[in-house]
Amino acid sequence: MKRLSVKWKLTLLITALLLVLTVAMAVFLMTITNRVVTENACTQLETTVRANLTLISRADDGNLLLEEGFAFTRSGVYTLIYSESGALLAGQPPLSAPDDVEFENGALRSEEAENDSDYYVLDFWLPFSWDDGVWVRGLIQVPEAASVVADLSDMALLVLPLVILLGGAGAYILVRSAFRPMDQIVAAAEAIGEGRDLSRRIGLGRRGDEMGRLAQAFDSMFARLEHSFEAEKQFTSDASHELRTPISVILAQCGEARHAETAEQYQEAITVIDRQARKMSALVAQLLQMTRLEQGTLRAAMEEADLSELVEVLCREQPELPKGITIQADVQPEVHAVFDVTLMSRLLQNLLDNAARYGRENGHIWVTLRTLEDQIFLSVRDDGVGIPEDRLEKIFQRFYQVDPARSGSAGTGLGLTMVRQIARLHGGEVTVESHEGVGSCFTFRFPAHHSGSTENDLKIS
Ligand code: ADP
């Protein structure tokens, strides 16, 4: 059997609740009505008998004298007068009245008659003199509770289907309107799930209720999904584009080599192939490392170490720099911090490579390490070509190169992306100051004691 939807389940539940409530109300009403009717009968009995009592006396001739106003039957109450020995003197008991009921002065009780009809009985001894008196008995049939209940159940039979019908319809309308945003959420999620439209939003507006908040949470999740999907698409297209260029060059050079007429032509083709293959290899290695860092497969090995020593050793052991460029290191001694030694070396090496690559003939590179309060500042400054101001933010994006021709064969456009990634992994940030034709200064600032960032901090757009 097909499972019921939540909407229908809720509708049924509300209707069932309404039904139970109505039935409970009906039972409550019946009980109350029953009690009120019973109490009414008893009061009626007592007042009628007491009223009649005052109207009975003994005449001088020994007969009973019933004054005006005395009624043998009034409002269902029968009044009977008996002699002391129990012989009926006046009044006509109802046919179904119980027989042989003992007299009890002032006691109200119910007695069962033969035909199952119950009666309330109330007796009073009415004395005329010390040796003369009569028993006055009041009788009233215990009200047929069943008849009241029957009336009420007739009513209930009429009302209950109405309750089910109206209650069910009302509940369905209510549940449907409450679930409408849910339907929208499901439709949007399904559309996105089928990959049809990532830009779709639920768009419930500013509803402050739970549904509104749920829709907003979904919308922002969809926005993030769209963003990362777009970023992923961009990355794949950038990466394939970057790889396609050296591959095309290699293929072209293979053709050249195959048809080379001189040893020089052949040698030249092989040199180009070698350079492009190295570029591809560097690109793939960097891409792999960046992806591993982003996905958390490559975990940073954070340890307390001497950063001053690392910076000094790296600067000292740089292989001979191109264009006669020289390095000057101004390192504050004994700067201890928590960092990943390999990643930190890569960060500094990338900055040094760039400073050399974009430096000028016989230029300089200044490396400075300083601490200020709990922050560490590591900067690499050069007096090279500099970067146009409008490109300053873009240079950290994947594959971005201000001037690919100037980057040369070693440039991949990934170096600074990785620098920023490593900086964030250490809870820090990297900033750049640059003036075209004057030089650039990259500064990495990070807290001395940081336990390492989460994967999300590493996502680079
Ligand atoms: P690349 O592999 O091209 O050097 P990077 O991500 O390291 O890629 O750098 C991105 C771009 O930023 C470079 O193409 C270059 O134009 C610019 N750049 C980086 N460092 C410097 C610097 N020290 N001086 C001038 N330009 C720089």
Side-chain angles (χ1 to χ4, degrees):
M1 200 182 86
K2 209 177 151 205
R3 278 181 72 91
L4 277 179
S5 70
V6 179
K7 236 185 287 181
W8 275 110
K9 277 185 193 161
L10 262 175
T11 308
L12 286 180
L13 190 78
I14 296 175
T15 317
L17 269 173
L18 264 173
L19 203 68
V20 170
L21 257 169
T22 318
V23 170
M25 279 285 285
V27 170
F28 177 73
L29 266 175
M30 285 177 201
T31 320
I32 290 286
T33 315
N34 195 16
R35 179 173 295 177
V36 169
V37 168
T38 312
E39 272 172 15
N40 267 352
C42 294
T43 320
Q44 187 68 47
L45 174 66
E46 194 169 345
T47 29
T48 311
V49 177
R50 282 191 188 279
N52 278 341
L53 272 182
T54 58
L55 304 171
I56 307 170
S57 56
R58 178 78 82 194
D60 294 339
D61 57 5
N63 285 331
L64 281 177
L65 195 66
L66 304 177
E67 286 170 37
E68 204 184 320
F70 181 94
F72 282 108
T73 53
R74 180 186 289 147
S75 314
V77 178
Y78 294 84
T79 306
L80 309 165
I81 306 172
Y82 293 88
S83 68
E84 192 180 358
S85 59
L88 183 64
L89 301 176
Q92 178 68 49
L95 283 175
S96 55
D99 302 325
D100 304 329
V101 180
E102 293 279 313
F103 289 99
E104 263 180 78
N105 191 19
L108 175 76
R109 62 238 186 257
S110 82
E111 294 290 342
E112 200 178 325
E114 270 171 15
N115 57 357
D116 270 359
S117 55
D118 291 350
Y119 276 83
Y120 286 118
V121 183
L122 179 62
D123 302 326
F124 285 109
W125 172 247
L126 178 64
F128 299 125
S129 64
W130 68 270
D131 63 344
D132 183 23
V134 285
W135 282 106
V136 180
R137 166 164 288 176
L139 282 175
I140 188 169
Q141 197 165 16
V142 173
E144 228 2 297
S147 75
V148 182
V149 172
D151 284 353
L152 273 171
S153 4
D154 283 353
M155 246 170 66
L157 272 179
L158 222 118
V159 168
L160 280 186
L162 260 174
V163 167
I164 298 175
L165 219 77
L166 289 179
Y172 184 73
I173 292 172
L174 216 99
V175 170
R176 204 184 52 178
S177 81
F179 269 73
R180 193 166 300 133
M182 194 63 108
D183 290 339
Q184 283 172 265
I185 293 173
V186 171
E190 273 173 1
I192 289 173
E194 287 162 16
R196 272 190 276 138
D197 187 5
L198 265 176
S199 64
R200 207 171 144 162
R201 300 288 176 272
I202 301 160
L204 275 190
R206 300 223 143 264
R207 276 175 60 141
D209 59 6
E210 292 85 346
M211 284 293 177
R213 288 210 302 278
L214 184 69
Q216 268 169 27
F218 266 93
D219 275 350
S220 56
M221 187 186 80
F222 293 152
R224 283 201 304 277
L225 263 178
E226 187 186 12
H227 178 77
S228 37
F229 188 74
E230 288 304 321
E232 218 56 48
K233 247 178 27 191
Q234 187 64 40
F235 175 74
T236 318
S237 105
D238 286 351
S240 38
H241 174 79
E242 291 301 318
L243 285 169
R244 205 180 303 133
T245 316
I247 288 173
S248 315
V249 177
I250 287 173
L251 287 176
Q253 289 305 315
C254 284
E256 294 275 321
R258 215 172 289 127
H259 302 109
E261 284 165 5
T262 62
E264 284 78 35
Q265 281 177 347
Y266 188 78
Q267 193 66 42
E268 200 182 317
I270 292 290
T271 313
V272 175
I273 291 172
D274 179 68
R275 197 167 54 231
Q276 293 300 325
R278 280 177 201 281
K279 181 172 176 157
M280 269 178 69
S281 161
L283 192 79
V284 170
Q286 265 179 319
L287 271 178
L288 207 66
Q289 189 153 25
M290 263 175 43
T291 314
R292 281 179 182 161
L293 269 176
E294 269 184 25
Q295 291 182 342
T297 11
L298 188 79
R299 290 237 167 256
M302 304 298 267
E303 56 178 306
E304 172 131 17
D306 188 343
L307 186 57
S308 312
E309 195 186 323
L310 179 87
V311 175
E312 266 172 359
V313 169
L314 254 173
C315 292
R316 201 169 49 236
E317 292 181 359
Q318 280 300 302
E320 198 177 327
L321 296 174
K323 298 179 262 185
I325 293 173
T326 50
I327 296 186
Q328 283 179 29
D330 176 10
V331 176
Q332 180 183 319
E334 298 287 323
V335 175
H336 288 267
V338 176
F339 59 93
D340 179 312
V341 177
T342 317
L343 291 178
M344 190 63 81
S345 311
R346 180 169 291 277
L347 177 144
L348 182 56
Q349 189 59 55
N350 278 2
L351 292 179
L352 288 174
D353 285 349
N354 279 351
R357 195 178 301 148
Y358 307 107
R360 64 174 170 83
E361 287 293 329
N362 300 317
H364 302 85
I365 299 174
W366 293 274
V367 178
T368 320
L369 179 71
R370 287 271 175 280
T371 56
L372 190 65
E373 290 166 0
D374 200 30
Q375 298 284 310
I376 295 172
F377 294 83
L378 171 64
S379 59
V380 177
R381 188 161 64 86
D382 64 66
D383 51 2
V385 293
I387 304 160
E389 208 181 329
D390 58 329
R391 311 288 170 88
L392 282 180
E393 236 339 278
K394 289 192 181 139
I395 56 171
F396 292 100
Q397 290 172 6
R398 272 194 291 229
F399 301 115
Y400 186 81
Q401 294 178 313
V402 176
D403 180 1
R406 195 182 278 158
S407 301
S409 59
T412 58
L414 290 173
L416 285 180
T417 313
M418 185 167 272
V419 165
R420 177 172 269 183
Q421 210 175 22
I422 297 172
R424 289 186 178 168
L425 189 76
H426 287 83
E429 200 43 84
V430 59
T431 51
V432 57
E433 253 183 86
S434 185
H435 296 285
E436 257 190 296
V438 179
S440 314
C441 179
F442 287 84
T443 305
F444 167 43
R445 174 194 54 76
F446 75 109
H449 294 94
H450 185 265
S451 52
S453 299
T454 60
E455 277 167 44
N456 282 341
D457 297 338
L458 297 176
K459 295 268 183 274
I460 308 281
S461 55

